[in-house]
Amino acid sequence: MSSNTTRTTLSTPLNGIPWLGALTLIVAGALQTLTFAPFNLWWLGPVSVFLILLVTIPAAPGQLFRAGWFTGLGLFATGASWVYISISEHGNTSIPIAILLTVLFVMGLALFHALAFWFWGKLAKESAVRRLILFPAIWILGDWLRGWLLTGFPWLYLGTAHTDGPLAGLAPLTGVHGVTFWVTVTGVAAYAAGWLFLRQRRIASGAVLGLALIPWIVAPAMNRIEWTEISDQPTTFAAMQGNIPQQVKWDPDFLRDQIVTYLTLTEDHWDTDLILWPETAIPITQDQAGKIIEHIDEQLGENSTLITGIPWYGFSDRIEDFTYHNSIMAIGNGGGMYHKQKLVPFGEYVPLQSVLRGLIGFFDLPMSSFSKGPEWQEPLKANGINVMPFICYEVAYPDFVAFNSRSAGLLLTISNDGWFGDSIGPLQHLQIARMRALETGRYMLRGTNNGVTAIINEKGQITERIPQFERATLTGEAFTASGSTPYMQTGSWPVLTLAAILIVFVRERVIPRSAG
């Protein structure tokens, strides 16, 4: 069968009408957003992949860059356009410019899918079989690239939807990328099964689909495996959600009110083992907050530790200069200071700031001059427990969290999701934190300014939470963990290696270009 015959055999109406194919890809990308919180329609993941393949398998290789871009456009326009709220409402930027920047952000992110699909076309040429075999590998490598290039945007990975899905049991073994891999394999298998069925190869069709469904059947049982050892001694926990309006967060005139808010919320909980205030709950640097820190230390019970977000200013030996860090510190029966390593572009630092500073309000946000913290920082200490903290965006990096959690009994993340208003962004952020708990087999304690503040157990399930946009205190218990999950030991490398092996061995001399 020639390559031209292959394309003709696989042609669908979606390819005969260019605008219809483009629309299908955009819809397929948008369907992926529905797999995540707050919609949680995880089963749409393979459906999305199936729709993508309907359009792309018969397409010429030169068309795949554009196909990938349309797919990414659908995903990020629906799943990440909440950045508009940060730019417009909190960035002092006019609506037209905020819309323009949001559009550029979405279009830029979509280029990751475009680049992955372009590479897919280069490797697979005209062969439908090669394209089907390579698709999961290309998708995973595209996700991986997006997770670190230009600081990375490790958001909206298909596997994250399975915090409540049947593939959750794979997460401690393979991490989120492994779950994503099997979601894409399932979509590929569904396409291949249909293709074989139409060619009267029904036994082969059933076998392909059956093999793809095995992990969906086995993974729920795997979720009952205890990869880590959970202590039977509870740690009492209290987290304060101040719900401080973003508009006054950094206003010196409201400093006293903010501190009083958190002190009042903590008033009945000073003897709790572990107390948590959110990101930059103390909105002045540690060298200015001495009296506040002393007051907190005096109020704490003998065996109590309070951990709070606080900016840090001082001389850094690493960069040999004075600098700011977005930090978190432990006070009381414990200690330690952690400086954020994964900074948010424009929110915490401004790329090309000598050019961009002053152009629009969004490039001059308060506290947007932080420096990156050093690598391999020690966990915080709290009542004899090693607590590994992650500040806001850091919890989205799967390998970063897994490797840094090895010596910790508890995980902790603080955030100020007030930047994103009542959008779906904070709910996605909570789901990402749940996936990190599931991957590491550890409790994740989450403290936020305006929600969602929660206790997440080692299975990624929420045991306690308080609603968004309320000033409240969460109380409950957490349990420390020892040992490591397989994913904590290997990270994403086994999945990435499998993807690389597929690419190396599914070459022209292995599967002829004419195979279809």
Side-chain angles (χ1 to χ4, degrees):
M1 182 182 295
S2 70
S3 60
N4 290 333
T5 306
T6 300
R7 288 208 307 266
T8 303
T9 303
L10 294 171
S11 291
T12 70
L14 299 177
N15 300 94
I17 308 173
W19 68 264
L20 185 57
L23 179 61
T24 301
L25 291 169
I26 292 172
V27 169
L31 288 179
Q32 294 184 17
T33 295
L34 295 178
T35 68
F36 306 110
F39 313 105
N40 299 312
L41 302 176
W42 51 262
W43 53 271
L44 286 175
V47 173
S48 170
V49 172
F50 182 84
L51 288 175
I52 293 168
L53 296 173
L54 278 180
V55 179
T56 56
I57 291 298
Q63 296 174 334
L64 291 181
F65 180 90
R66 184 172 56 187
W69 189 77
F70 283 130
T71 302
L73 200 64
L75 173 61
F76 297 115
T78 56
S81 56
W82 35 256
V83 297
Y84 170 81
I85 297 173
S86 303
I87 299 171
S88 176
E89 295 185 14
H90 305 302
N92 302 315
T93 303
S94 66
I95 291 177
I97 293 180
I99 292 173
L100 175 62
L101 290 176
T102 302
V103 169
L104 291 175
F105 173 73
V106 169
M107 292 172 65
L109 286 176
L111 289 175
F112 282 103
H113 282 70
L115 183 62
F117 278 42
W118 171 83
F119 187 52
W120 183 39
K122 287 291 184 180
L123 290 172
K125 308 295 184 183
E126 306 282 354
S127 169
V129 173
R130 286 163 58 91
R131 289 191 184 186
L132 288 172
I133 294 174
L134 286 175
F135 184 85
I138 294 298
W139 190 278
I140 289 301
L141 291 177
D143 276 358
W144 173 74
L145 182 69
R146 177 162 58 89
W148 62 265
L149 187 64
L150 302 176
T151 74
F153 187 73
W155 211 274
L156 302 177
Y157 291 152
L158 273 171
T160 304
H162 282 264
T163 49
D164 294 309
L167 295 180
L170 297 179
L173 191 63
T174 68
V176 68
H177 290 313
V179 181
T180 299
F181 184 85
W182 209 261
V183 171
T184 57
V185 165
T186 305
V188 167
Y191 183 95
W195 186 18
L196 292 168
F197 185 84
L198 292 175
R199 284 157 179 75
Q200 307 301 316
R201 298 173 65 180
R202 297 182 180 180
I203 294 177
S205 173
V208 167
L209 201 55
L211 288 172
L213 291 177
I214 289 175
W216 295 81
I217 299 169
V218 173
M222 292 179 60
N223 202 31
R224 292 193 288 270
I225 297 175
E226 299 296 337
W227 296 102
T228 56
E229 184 176 348
I230 305 299
S231 170
D232 56 4
Q233 292 295 116
T235 297
T236 58
F237 175 70
M240 290 69 205
Q241 184 171 287
N243 198 33
I244 306 297
Q246 193 62 35
Q247 291 83 351
V248 303
K249 175 71 180 173
W250 299 103
D251 190 333
D253 293 337
F254 290 89
L255 170 63
R256 185 179 183 279
D257 291 343
Q258 293 184 57
I259 300 302
V260 168
T261 293
Y262 282 106
L263 290 174
T264 301
L265 289 170
T266 315
E267 188 171 348
D268 296 329
H269 305 281
W270 290 112
D271 290 323
T272 303
D273 292 337
L274 180 56
I275 302 166
L276 182 62
W277 290 5
E279 183 180 11
T280 59
I282 301 177
I284 53 175
T285 56
Q286 93 294 343
D287 61 327
Q288 299 173 307
K291 291 184 178 180
I292 298 171
I293 295 170
E294 288 176 8
H295 178 75
I296 292 171
D297 198 22
E298 291 170 357
Q299 297 299 310
L300 285 166
E302 184 179 353
N303 296 314
S304 301
T305 306
L306 186 145
I307 296 177
T308 181
I310 182 171
W312 182 92
Y313 177 75
F315 186 83
S316 170
D317 293 330
R318 186 170 58 89
I319 63 176
E320 298 184 345
D321 198 359
F322 285 88
T323 188
Y324 287 95
H325 291 299
N326 187 357
S327 303
I328 185 170
M329 71 181 301
I331 307 168
N333 184 30
M337 174 78 74
Y338 173 83
H339 305 309
K340 187 177 183 182
Q341 300 178 53
K342 303 289 187 180
L343 301 182
V344 180
F346 303 106
E348 292 173 316
Y349 78 99
V350 178
L352 304 174
Q353 62 175 335
S354 61
V355 176
L356 298 178
R357 288 284 190 191
L359 289 180
I360 57 175
F362 181 62
F363 298 143
D364 297 289
L365 293 173
M367 303 309 293
S368 59
S369 299
F370 286 124
S371 295
K372 176 183 176 182
E375 296 181 358
W376 310 117
Q377 299 177 56
E378 293 293 324
L380 303 177
K381 296 288 186 179
N383 199 18
I385 300 170
N386 284 345
V387 180
M388 193 66 217
F390 303 97
I391 301 177
C392 190
Y393 194 53
E394 288 187 316
V395 82
Y397 293 81
D399 290 315
F400 176 78
V401 172
F403 292 148
N404 281 279
S405 300
R406 292 173 177 173
S407 60
L410 286 175
L411 307 184
L412 177 152
T413 180
I414 58 173
S415 185
N416 176 23
D417 288 348
W419 290 104
F420 308 118
D422 60 355
S423 71
I424 61 177
L427 301 178
Q428 293 173 347
H429 201 183
L430 172 64
Q431 188 175 38
I432 289 169
R434 293 177 58 199
M435 177 55 72
R436 300 293 89 83
L438 180 59
E439 290 169 336
T440 58
R442 279 160 169 72
Y443 268 69
M444 175 77 75
L445 307 176
R446 190 169 194 263
T448 68
N449 173 40
N450 65 339
V452 177
T453 298
I455 300 175
I456 305 167
N457 69 16
E458 80 280 8
K459 296 298 183 181
Q461 300 304 305
I462 297 172
T463 62
E464 302 286 347
R465 66 185 290 172
I466 50 179
Q468 285 183 287
F469 315 117
E470 289 187 14
R471 183 166 292 179
T473 297
L474 176 145
T475 59
E477 293 181 339
F479 296 85
T480 59
S482 58
S484 298
T485 64
Y487 177 65
M488 292 175 69
Q489 295 300 316
T490 65
S492 298
W493 287 110
V495 177
L496 296 173
T497 301
L498 174 60
I501 289 172
L502 286 172
I503 289 172
V504 169
F505 285 96
V506 184
R507 293 180 300 179
E508 189 74 19
R509 68 169 183 259
V510 177
I511 297 178
R513 183 168 64 179
S514 61

